[in-house]
Amino acid sequence: DQQVKQNSPSLSVQEGRISILNCDYTNSMFDYFLWYKKYPAEGPTFLISISSIKDKNEDGRFTVFLNKSAKHLSLHIVPSQPGDSAVYFCAASEDRGSTLGRLYFGRGTQLTVWP
Amino acid sequence: DVKVTQSSRYLVKRTGEKVFLECVQDMDHENMFWYRQDPGLGLRLIYFSYDVKMKEKGDIPEGYSVSREKKERFSLILESASTNQTSMYLCASTDGNSPLHFGNGTRLTVT
């Protein structure tokens, strides 16, 4: 069963506006969350992460929000740019301190930013 | 900068063939992973390894095996390729303290 869920397979946003990508999880043991971006014919690249001890992490145009009680996180991109068009994967880890590094991924959301 | 190199970008193989997908990382990472990516299914973990000669099954290991003879190299083996193994295969590595770093993937087509 999918432990990390991205229920929107696609999102279309106009350039300059905010993009909000959502992610839900079911495993209460998850304590570290990441977002990856993937362009066609390339591997996913790390974008931003958040620990369960925080509820917000910001890096430039990208902000991730975590609501532990709702088991929900979201990625905000402001302002959106055409180069942000990609598939975004939400991922979670059970033990940030582990040397294992195993991640559980959602199915991805295709973001399209149009001019 | 971490570099994860997958030996082939595109492969076409016939049903029943034995297929080797090679992955090499240059950052002395202990942990290496093989995922496959399929439309609408996201990234699914096939196998992973946290040390030389060690391997662990992921969520979809059936039809695959792996080999880790050296720390920098992690090979995925399709013992007898089938059409349902047509997919994008992604190798990744980490030292456990940094996010997974992925290679550019191998697009495998089994006909």
Side-chain angles (χ1 to χ4, degrees):
Chain A
D1 194 24
Q2 198 90 8
Q3 298 186 62
V4 177
K5 300 178 182 180
Q6 294 176 256
N7 292 320
S8 297
S10 64
L11 175 67
S12 183
V13 172
Q14 187 176 24
E15 181 178 7
R17 304 247 181 194
I18 184 171
S19 295
I20 300 176
L21 294 94
N22 293 304
C23 178
D24 297 293
Y25 62 95
T26 58
N27 187 344
S28 57
M29 297 301 292
F30 286 151
D31 65 352
Y32 193 66
F33 304 88
L34 308 89
W35 285 93
Y36 280 80
K37 178 169 75 172
K38 186 181 185 299
Y39 294 117
E42 294 184 11
T45 55
F46 169 72
L47 191 58
I48 192 169
S49 62
I50 188 167
S51 165
S52 60
I53 62 173
K54 295 185 175 182
D55 54 18
K56 177 183 174 181
N57 188 27
E58 193 171 351
D59 183 1
R61 296 186 298 113
F62 303 92
T63 302
V64 56
F65 295 91
L66 175 62
N67 182 334
K68 288 188 292 293
S69 61
K71 293 190 178 69
H72 177 82
L73 64 155
S74 60
L75 174 67
H76 292 210
I77 306 173
V78 183
S80 301
Q81 299 173 354
D84 295 329
S85 297
V87 178
Y88 288 79
F89 290 102
C90 174
S93 171
E94 280 184 353
D95 185 358
R96 178 64 180 91
S98 166
T99 59
L100 197 51
R102 175 181 175 156
L103 296 180
Y104 296 82
F105 284 87
R107 295 185 176 186
T109 297
Q110 171 70 57
L111 173 66
T112 302
V113 181
W114 47 281
Chain B
D1 197 19
V2 178
K3 194 168 178 73
V4 178
T5 302
Q6 294 183 232
S7 54
S8 302
R9 292 302 300 272
Y10 300 94
L11 273 180
V12 180
K13 297 292 181 180
R14 293 198 180 274
T15 301
E17 278 192 79
K18 190 169 186 176
V19 181
F20 293 86
L21 303 183
E22 306 288 347
C23 174
V24 177
Q25 50 92 6
D26 65 357
M27 283 300 292
D28 202 36
H29 285 168
E30 290 83 7
N31 308 319
M32 297 188 73
F33 302 78
W34 276 105
Y35 286 87
R36 62 180 280 179
Q37 183 202 357
D38 301 287
L41 296 178
L43 277 68
R44 294 181 293 165
L45 182 63
I46 306 171
Y47 265 98
F48 58 103
S49 168
Y50 51 87
D51 203 352
V52 175
K53 305 248 186 229
M54 305 297 284
K55 61 184 179 182
E56 294 284 342
K57 292 180 180 179
D59 299 319
I60 51 164
E62 296 78 19
Y64 303 94
S65 62
V66 290
S67 172
R68 186 129 183 239
E69 296 296 319
K70 293 185 178 182
K71 192 174 186 180
E72 68 271 18
R73 185 179 297 271
F74 192 34
S75 302
L76 180 69
I77 304 156
L78 286 65
E79 296 291 342
S80 176
S82 63
T83 54
N84 63 11
Q85 292 179 309
T86 291
S87 186
M88 168 71 87
Y89 289 88
L90 294 159
C91 176
S93 73
T94 177
D95 58 3
N97 294 313
S98 57
L100 274 184
H101 192 97
F102 284 86
N104 278 331
T106 296
R107 171 73 65 185
L108 172 67
T109 301
V110 182
T111 61

